[in-house]
Amino acid sequence: MDRIKLSDHFTYRRLARFVLPSIAMMVFTSIYVIVDGLFLSNFVGTTAFAAVNLVFPFMMLMSAIGFMIGTGGSALVAMQLGEGRSELAKQTFSMLIGLLFVFALSVSILAAIFMPQIAYMLGAKDGQFQADAVLYSRVTMISMPMFMLQNAFQSFFVTAEKPKLGLKITVAAGVTNMVLDLFFVGIFKWGIVGAALATVTAEYVGGLVPVVYFARKNDSLLALVPARLNLKYLGKTCYNGMSELLQNIAGSVVSIAYNLQLLRLVGENGVAAYGVLMYVNFIFSAVFFGYMIGSAPLFSFHYAAGTYDELQNLYRKTMKICAIVGSTMTVISWTMAPVLSAIFVSYDQELLDLTVHAMRITSVLFVMMGFTVFGSGFFTALGNGAVSAILAFARTVVLQLSAVFILPIFMGVDGIWASGPVSTILTALLTLGFLIKYKDRYHY
């Protein structure tokens, strides 16, 4: 089978072949993140499960820098490749990876030191709930730098025309986590420490193996080479990836707000139910994020190369894919809500009923989710980080965060579950407005 290049013309079949490894990579990453919760819920109990879900948004908040460097940096590097400056692309890539590691190591050490205070602010006030949250977080900080690198490499593997290799490494990390969770939590009964150690080991596989690959001689478009700090390209990377950074930060803040509201209205059961919803959301949204990671270098390359016919071709196909896949996800989430919920909380009927009810309300958001993810990622790929950031900021901070506090006043707990669909639909309309406004400027 021939190797697909960024410069190719893409039919649906060729596009699918190119982006499917990235989609599978993101879905598998979501699954192995979920495994900790699955084993903790069924083998340790609701308190441990809720504790991990409580601190998880904070950990995603930290890892957001990895997504920013990956998406923003890959857009810049892909444009440099499209302009024929391959050596500069390698140097830019190497500089970004080095800076990311130094930053990640620093913030991980600080987070581990102040984790009791952080857990308290997140809502874990005392007792076993707080102890579990602090313990899990501190152990997983050991591998947080590797997790940030893994998030960045997911985008760079695509730009290097090696999406399948990125998938293989992600699968290896995921299988490591799953197997070790089975042994550490299910068989050895190490509880929350076992789940954390499984995650640490898996994240070292996901983050360290790509470093070794790119540091050695390879046949990809990118390699780790000696590089100097270039503030201009660092600034462009941060600008391009601003939306992904804000989207992840704001998403984490919104999740923290959800947990605080649910602790107030429902208690630990509410946090546990929201944890299940987050896991299902991770898997479904991973399809869209994986698609954008896989296709973004294509948009960047063809825009920089001036091949606007192919840019238009990719744009039209993507819009159709978002509509079909999003509608299918809503149907699956609605009909499969009892089964998906039972995987995690079948041992508690009251919690199970609460989770099924919540999942059916939130399932509506998947219809429009693809358009919101595409809009933000599309403008990042075109180098317009400002519009991308506005879309990300509007959905999470302005719309979803407002909804999670306002809707419960009128709808009670159901208002919390409805805040996701409401904010997603409104963001989709805003995205459409920007796509119409910039159509002529970017020739799509």
Side-chain angles (χ1 to χ4, degrees), residues 91-328:
Q91 292 170 8
T92 302
F93 164 66
S94 303
M95 175 197 68
L96 294 174
I97 292 299
L99 289 176
L100 176 60
F101 177 74
V102 172
F103 173 84
L105 184 62
S106 302
V107 297
S108 298
I109 293 172
L110 289 174
I113 293 172
F114 293 104
M115 192 51 65
Q117 293 83 357
I118 294 170
Y120 184 88
M121 289 188 293
L122 293 175
K125 304 299 183 181
D126 50 36
Q128 191 62 43
F129 190 41
Q130 184 188 54
D132 285 348
V134 172
L135 180 59
Y136 182 84
S137 301
R138 277 183 163 167
V139 175
T140 53
M141 284 303 116
I142 296 172
S143 60
M144 181 54 70
M146 293 296 107
F147 187 50
M148 289 192 191
L149 287 177
Q150 180 180 348
N151 290 338
F153 280 125
Q154 286 176 345
S155 295
F156 283 120
F157 268 120
V158 179
T159 305
E161 295 183 346
K162 291 290 183 178
K164 292 183 179 179
L165 179 58
L167 172 60
K168 291 177 182 178
I169 293 173
T170 301
V171 169
V175 170
T176 299
N177 191 53
M178 293 175 187
V179 172
L180 293 182
D181 265 326
L182 173 62
F183 279 94
F184 292 171
V185 182
I187 297 176
F188 298 159
K189 308 298 182 184
W190 290 353
I192 205 161
V193 173
L197 289 175
T199 296
V200 167
T201 307
E203 288 176 352
Y204 265 89
V205 172
L208 194 56
V209 172
V211 172
V212 174
Y213 172 78
F214 284 113
R216 302 174 64 183
K217 185 177 181 180
N218 63 75
D219 62 346
S220 75
L221 297 180
L222 298 178
L224 289 173
V225 299
R228 294 181 179 181
L229 175 64
N230 188 312
L231 294 178
K232 176 184 176 181
Y233 292 143
L234 177 60
K236 284 187 176 182
T237 295
C238 295
Y239 177 76
N240 287 341
M242 189 189 310
S243 65
E244 279 66 31
L245 175 65
L246 290 178
Q247 186 166 294
N248 281 276
I249 290 176
S252 298
V253 171
V254 168
S255 294
I256 292 169
Y258 268 75
N259 285 330
L260 291 174
Q261 283 283 73
L262 288 166
L263 281 171
R264 181 177 66 86
L265 295 175
V266 187
E268 288 184 17
N269 270 7
V271 176
Y274 179 59
V276 177
L277 299 187
M278 280 200 303
Y279 291 157
V280 174
N281 191 298
F282 285 159
I283 295 175
F284 285 0
S285 64
V287 174
F288 293 121
F289 283 109
Y291 179 87
M292 277 314 302
I293 288 174
S295 62
L298 301 177
F299 290 112
S300 300
F301 183 94
H302 287 287
Y303 175 67
T307 48
Y308 299 130
D309 287 346
E310 187 58 29
L311 186 67
Q312 294 165 11
N313 169 56
L314 290 166
Y315 175 82
R316 289 193 297 268
K317 284 180 169 56
T318 297
M319 295 294 280
K320 293 177 182 178
I321 290 170
C322 287
I324 295 171
V325 174
S327 300
T328 303

Side-chain angles (χ1 to χ4, degrees), residues 3-41:
R3 176 176 173 176
I4 301 177
K5 299 179 181 180
L6 298 178
S7 57
D8 288 350
H9 168 68
F10 284 84
T11 62
Y12 279 109
R13 180 181 178 83
R14 201 166 188 80
L15 180 60
R17 281 179 53 200
F18 192 76
V19 302
L20 277 176
S22 296
I23 294 174
M25 181 167 57
M26 288 299 293
V27 170
F28 204 84
T29 299
S30 299
I31 291 174
Y32 90 71
V33 168
I34 291 167
V35 169
D36 280 358
L38 177 64
F39 276 91
L40 285 172
S41 181

